[in-house]
mmCIF file of all heavy atoms in Angstrom:
data_model
loop_
_atom_site.group_PDB
_atom_site.id
_atom_site.type_symbol
_atom_site.label_atom_id
_atom_site.label_comp_id
_atom_site.label_asym_id
_atom_site.label_seq_id
_atom_site.Cartn_x
_atom_site.Cartn_y
_atom_site.Cartn_z
ATOM 1 N N ALA A 215 51.555 97.030 124.968
ATOM 2 C CA ALA A 215 50.131 96.910 125.525
ATOM 3 C C ALA A 215 49.891 97.557 126.838
ATOM 4 O O ALA A 215 48.815 97.919 127.227
ATOM 5 C CB ALA A 215 49.838 95.329 125.769
ATOM 6 N N GLN A 216 51.045 97.815 127.661
ATOM 7 C CA GLN A 216 50.881 98.445 128.951
ATOM 8 C C GLN A 216 52.335 98.972 129.362
ATOM 9 O O GLN A 216 53.326 98.530 128.941
ATOM 10 C CB GLN A 216 50.494 97.355 129.946
ATOM 11 C CG GLN A 216 50.172 97.987 131.376
ATOM 12 C CD GLN A 216 49.663 96.916 132.287
ATOM 13 O OE1 GLN A 216 49.362 95.768 131.853
ATOM 14 N NE2 GLN A 216 49.626 97.219 133.566
ATOM 15 N N VAL A 217 52.174 100.140 130.060
ATOM 16 C CA VAL A 217 53.365 100.844 130.492
ATOM 17 C C VAL A 217 53.277 101.066 132.027
ATOM 18 O O VAL A 217 52.257 101.623 132.476
ATOM 19 C CB VAL A 217 53.621 102.226 129.793
ATOM 20 C CG1 VAL A 217 54.926 102.908 130.270
ATOM 21 C CG2 VAL A 217 53.656 101.952 128.283
ATOM 22 N N ASP A 218 54.307 100.648 132.782
ATOM 23 C CA ASP A 218 54.262 100.905 134.168
ATOM 24 C C ASP A 218 55.358 101.883 134.462
ATOM 25 O O ASP A 218 56.593 101.558 134.439
ATOM 26 C CB ASP A 218 54.590 99.565 134.957
ATOM 27 C CG ASP A 218 54.726 99.769 136.457
ATOM 28 O OD1 ASP A 218 54.215 100.928 136.905
ATOM 29 O OD2 ASP A 218 55.241 98.962 137.169
ATOM 30 N N GLU A 219 55.068 103.189 134.748
ATOM 31 C CA GLU A 219 56.073 104.220 135.008
ATOM 32 C C GLU A 219 56.343 104.192 136.414
ATOM 33 O O GLU A 219 55.693 104.919 137.280
ATOM 34 C CB GLU A 219 55.401 105.543 134.588
ATOM 35 C CG GLU A 219 55.277 105.662 133.039
ATOM 36 C CD GLU A 219 54.693 106.989 132.686
ATOM 37 O OE1 GLU A 219 54.409 107.760 133.508
ATOM 38 O OE2 GLU A 219 54.515 107.234 131.493
ATOM 39 N N HIS A 220 57.365 103.398 136.882
ATOM 40 C CA HIS A 220 57.744 103.289 138.337
ATOM 41 C C HIS A 220 58.613 104.445 138.717
ATOM 42 O O HIS A 220 58.676 104.776 139.968
ATOM 43 C CB HIS A 220 58.398 101.940 138.554
ATOM 44 C CG HIS A 220 59.614 101.649 137.583
ATOM 45 N ND1 HIS A 220 60.764 102.276 137.624
ATOM 46 C CD2 HIS A 220 59.621 100.649 136.592
ATOM 47 C CE1 HIS A 220 61.476 101.787 136.703
ATOM 48 N NE2 HIS A 220 60.940 100.894 136.018
ATOM 49 N N GLY A 221 59.405 105.067 137.898
ATOM 50 C CA GLY A 221 60.223 106.108 138.347
ATOM 51 C C GLY A 221 61.322 105.919 139.231
ATOM 52 O O GLY A 221 61.782 106.786 139.973
ATOM 53 N N MET A 222 61.830 104.694 139.290
ATOM 54 C CA MET A 222 62.906 104.311 140.225
ATOM 55 C C MET A 222 64.306 104.846 139.817
ATOM 56 O O MET A 222 65.165 104.937 140.681
ATOM 57 C CB MET A 222 63.053 102.809 140.394
ATOM 58 C CG MET A 222 61.880 102.116 141.119
ATOM 59 S SD MET A 222 62.238 100.412 141.613
ATOM 60 C CE MET A 222 62.377 99.695 139.966
ATOM 61 N N GLY A 223 64.452 105.202 138.675
ATOM 62 C CA GLY A 223 65.821 105.774 138.209
ATOM 63 C C GLY A 223 66.693 104.701 137.702
ATOM 64 O O GLY A 223 67.825 104.983 137.494
ATOM 65 N N ARG A 224 66.312 103.458 137.668
ATOM 66 C CA ARG A 224 67.100 102.321 137.219
ATOM 67 C C ARG A 224 66.170 101.226 136.750
ATOM 68 O O ARG A 224 65.093 101.119 137.169
ATOM 69 C CB ARG A 224 68.146 101.815 138.245
ATOM 70 C CG ARG A 224 67.520 101.263 139.381
ATOM 71 C CD ARG A 224 68.590 100.711 140.354
ATOM 72 N NE ARG A 224 69.300 99.605 139.821
ATOM 73 C CZ ARG A 224 70.360 98.935 140.366
ATOM 74 N NH1 ARG A 224 70.847 99.399 141.481
ATOM 75 N NH2 ARG A 224 70.870 97.909 139.849
ATOM 76 N N ALA A 225 66.703 100.441 135.772
ATOM 77 C CA ALA A 225 65.928 99.332 135.232
ATOM 78 C C ALA A 225 65.587 98.287 136.351
ATOM 79 O O ALA A 225 66.386 98.008 137.215
ATOM 80 C CB ALA A 225 66.619 98.691 134.071
ATOM 81 N N ALA A 226 64.268 97.862 136.297
ATOM 82 C CA ALA A 226 63.884 96.876 137.329
ATOM 83 C C ALA A 226 64.223 95.555 136.944
ATOM 84 O O ALA A 226 63.502 94.543 137.024
ATOM 85 C CB ALA A 226 62.288 96.985 137.450
ATOM 86 N N MET A 227 65.566 95.377 136.552
ATOM 87 C CA MET A 227 66.169 94.117 136.199
ATOM 88 C C MET A 227 67.606 94.062 136.880
ATOM 89 O O MET A 227 68.338 95.026 136.743
ATOM 90 C CB MET A 227 66.222 93.780 134.807
ATOM 91 C CG MET A 227 67.085 92.624 134.326
ATOM 92 S SD MET A 227 67.201 92.477 132.593
ATOM 93 C CE MET A 227 65.704 91.600 132.092
ATOM 94 N N VAL A 228 67.870 93.093 137.621
ATOM 95 C CA VAL A 228 69.158 92.953 138.364
ATOM 96 C C VAL A 228 69.854 91.655 137.890
ATOM 97 O O VAL A 228 69.269 90.567 137.997
ATOM 98 C CB VAL A 228 68.856 92.903 139.872
ATOM 99 C CG1 VAL A 228 70.212 92.756 140.620
ATOM 100 C CG2 VAL A 228 68.029 93.998 140.349
ATOM 101 N N GLU A 229 71.098 91.825 137.545
ATOM 102 C CA GLU A 229 71.893 90.713 137.085
ATOM 103 C C GLU A 229 72.396 89.839 138.264
ATOM 104 O O GLU A 229 72.664 90.482 139.368
ATOM 105 C CB GLU A 229 73.122 91.234 136.229
ATOM 106 C CG GLU A 229 74.236 91.804 137.003
ATOM 107 C CD GLU A 229 73.991 93.230 137.484
ATOM 108 O OE1 GLU A 229 72.850 93.829 137.104
ATOM 109 O OE2 GLU A 229 74.813 93.776 138.112
ATOM 110 N N MET A 230 72.565 88.666 138.080
ATOM 111 C CA MET A 230 73.136 87.791 139.147
ATOM 112 C C MET A 230 74.177 86.870 138.435
ATOM 113 O O MET A 230 73.802 85.753 138.029
ATOM 114 C CB MET A 230 72.095 86.877 139.921
ATOM 115 C CG MET A 230 72.761 86.261 141.168
ATOM 116 S SD MET A 230 71.493 85.526 142.276
ATOM 117 C CE MET A 230 70.933 84.061 141.330
ATOM 118 N N PRO A 231 75.358 87.404 138.193
ATOM 119 C CA PRO A 231 76.444 86.594 137.416
ATOM 120 C C PRO A 231 77.173 85.659 138.355
ATOM 121 O O PRO A 231 77.368 85.861 139.587
ATOM 122 C CB PRO A 231 77.224 87.649 136.867
ATOM 123 C CG PRO A 231 77.226 88.779 137.876
ATOM 124 C CD PRO A 231 75.883 88.726 138.525
ATOM 125 N N PHE A 232 77.826 84.694 137.663
ATOM 126 C CA PHE A 232 78.818 83.790 138.277
ATOM 127 C C PHE A 232 80.201 84.085 137.833
ATOM 128 O O PHE A 232 80.438 84.048 136.641
ATOM 129 C CB PHE A 232 78.318 82.277 138.011
ATOM 130 C CG PHE A 232 79.397 81.320 138.592
ATOM 131 C CD1 PHE A 232 79.438 81.112 140.006
ATOM 132 C CD2 PHE A 232 80.149 80.523 137.782
ATOM 133 C CE1 PHE A 232 80.265 80.196 140.516
ATOM 134 C CE2 PHE A 232 81.065 79.586 138.327
ATOM 135 C CZ PHE A 232 81.185 79.497 139.714
ATOM 136 N N GLN A 233 80.988 84.435 138.809
ATOM 137 C CA GLN A 233 82.416 84.762 138.524
ATOM 138 C C GLN A 233 82.569 85.740 137.424
ATOM 139 O O GLN A 233 83.240 85.618 136.391
ATOM 140 C CB GLN A 233 83.249 83.418 138.092
ATOM 141 C CG GLN A 233 83.314 82.413 139.164
ATOM 142 C CD GLN A 233 84.110 81.192 138.705
ATOM 143 O OE1 GLN A 233 84.420 80.992 137.635
ATOM 144 N NE2 GLN A 233 84.556 80.536 139.819
ATOM 145 N N PRO A 234 81.897 87.001 137.536
ATOM 146 C CA PRO A 234 82.097 88.013 136.589
ATOM 147 C C PRO A 234 83.468 88.640 136.620
ATOM 148 O O PRO A 234 84.196 88.489 137.622
ATOM 149 C CB PRO A 234 81.047 89.097 137.046
ATOM 150 C CG PRO A 234 80.915 88.813 138.464
ATOM 151 C CD PRO A 234 81.147 87.425 138.785
ATOM 152 N N THR A 235 83.872 89.354 135.592
ATOM 153 C CA THR A 235 85.121 90.063 135.459
ATOM 154 C C THR A 235 84.737 91.412 134.891
ATOM 155 O O THR A 235 83.670 91.705 134.489
ATOM 156 C CB THR A 235 86.148 89.407 134.519
ATOM 157 O OG1 THR A 235 85.519 89.268 133.233
ATOM 158 C CG2 THR A 235 86.400 87.966 135.019
ATOM 159 N N SER A 236 85.752 92.342 134.864
ATOM 160 C CA SER A 236 85.486 93.686 134.361
ATOM 161 C C SER A 236 85.186 93.542 132.944
ATOM 162 O O SER A 236 84.516 94.412 132.365
ATOM 163 C CB SER A 236 86.786 94.532 134.612
ATOM 164 O OG SER A 236 87.877 93.969 134.052
ATOM 165 N N ALA A 237 85.767 92.609 132.150
ATOM 166 C CA ALA A 237 85.456 92.454 130.779
ATOM 167 C C ALA A 237 84.230 91.675 130.447
ATOM 168 O O ALA A 237 83.630 91.805 129.415
ATOM 169 C CB ALA A 237 86.628 91.734 130.054
ATOM 170 N N LYS A 238 83.835 90.807 131.398
ATOM 171 C CA LYS A 238 82.552 89.989 131.208
ATOM 172 C C LYS A 238 81.762 90.242 132.537
ATOM 173 O O LYS A 238 81.688 89.300 133.387
ATOM 174 C CB LYS A 238 82.924 88.464 131.070
ATOM 175 C CG LYS A 238 83.655 88.227 129.759
ATOM 176 C CD LYS A 238 83.790 86.694 129.567
ATOM 177 C CE LYS A 238 84.416 86.404 128.258
ATOM 178 N NZ LYS A 238 84.538 84.863 128.000
ATOM 179 N N PRO A 239 80.962 91.307 132.595
ATOM 180 C CA PRO A 239 80.175 91.632 133.701
ATOM 181 C C PRO A 239 79.099 90.647 133.939
ATOM 182 O O PRO A 239 78.545 90.513 135.061
ATOM 183 C CB PRO A 239 79.712 93.007 133.504
ATOM 184 C CG PRO A 239 79.731 93.222 132.078
ATOM 185 C CD PRO A 239 80.907 92.384 131.600
ATOM 186 N N PHE A 240 78.657 89.863 132.907
ATOM 187 C CA PHE A 240 77.613 88.953 132.999
ATOM 188 C C PHE A 240 78.038 87.571 133.266
ATOM 189 O O PHE A 240 77.292 86.577 133.216
ATOM 190 C CB PHE A 240 76.731 88.865 131.778
ATOM 191 C CG PHE A 240 75.988 90.194 131.544
ATOM 192 C CD1 PHE A 240 75.839 90.741 130.265
ATOM 193 C CD2 PHE A 240 75.259 90.789 132.576
ATOM 194 C CE1 PHE A 240 75.114 91.886 130.138
ATOM 195 C CE2 PHE A 240 74.474 91.973 132.439
ATOM 196 C CZ PHE A 240 74.472 92.397 131.219
#
Side-chain angles (χ1 to χ4, degrees):
Q216 185 176 347
V217 180
D218 177 17
E219 297 181 354
H220 50 71
M222 287 192 297
R224 61 176 295 174
M227 175 184 272
V228 181
E229 75 284 354
M230 191 169 75
F232 175 67
Q233 294 182 346
T235 63
S236 57
K238 292 185 176 181
F240 291 137

